[in-house]
Amino acid sequence: MRLQHECIYCKKQLTGRTDKKYCNLHCKSANQYQKEKQNPERFYNKVDNQLKLNRKILKEYNKGGKVTIRSNVLLELGFNRLFEL
């Protein structure tokens, strides 16, 4: 008796064990990532999002190597100095 007939993430037909929920590890990982992304109030997600924003801002301005940027420009774009690497 199969509990789940199709993959929870991609909806492909499942083969193998009867208690299988996902067709492969990629679908399992993608589904868990999608679930966690819907809960932005978690501290980990706040830190991760801020670090991504910081890196994006620095990458945009530092295309040629060592560049000096005024701190007020970075702060206006959303850079948070508490999350520097």
Side-chain angles (χ1 to χ4, degrees):
M1 182 173 154
R2 182 168 291 283
L3 302 175
Q4 192 75 24
H5 295 289
E6 55 186 28
C7 177
I8 293 173
Y9 186 71
C10 69
K11 307 297 184 203
K12 286 184 185 175
Q13 191 69 23
L14 293 175
T15 59
R17 293 182 10 211
T18 58
D19 60 342
K20 210 173 182 182
K21 295 180 184 178
Y22 305 97
C23 58
N24 58 31
L25 288 176
H26 171 72
C27 285
K28 181 178 180 180
S29 178
N31 190 48
Q32 289 174 347
Y33 181 75
Q34 187 178 31
K35 278 184 187 177
E36 290 301 319
K37 201 164 181 152
Q38 293 172 355
N39 300 327
E41 67 274 354
R42 287 187 51 210
F43 178 74
Y44 170 80
N45 290 344
K46 288 180 182 178
V47 171
D48 190 41
N49 290 338
Q50 186 61 53
L51 286 173
K52 285 178 185 175
L53 178 63
N54 285 357
R55 288 187 198 113
K56 179 181 169 189
I57 292 169
L58 292 175
K59 186 177 180 182
E60 182 180 324
Y61 279 95
N62 194 20
K63 292 180 180 174
K66 291 187 176 183
V67 177
T68 304
I69 307 167
R70 295 191 179 271
S71 62
N72 60 348
V73 173
L74 293 176
L75 294 175
E76 287 174 6
L77 293 172
F79 188 86
N80 190 337
R81 297 175 68 175
L82 296 176
F83 295 97
E84 291 182 61
L85 294 177

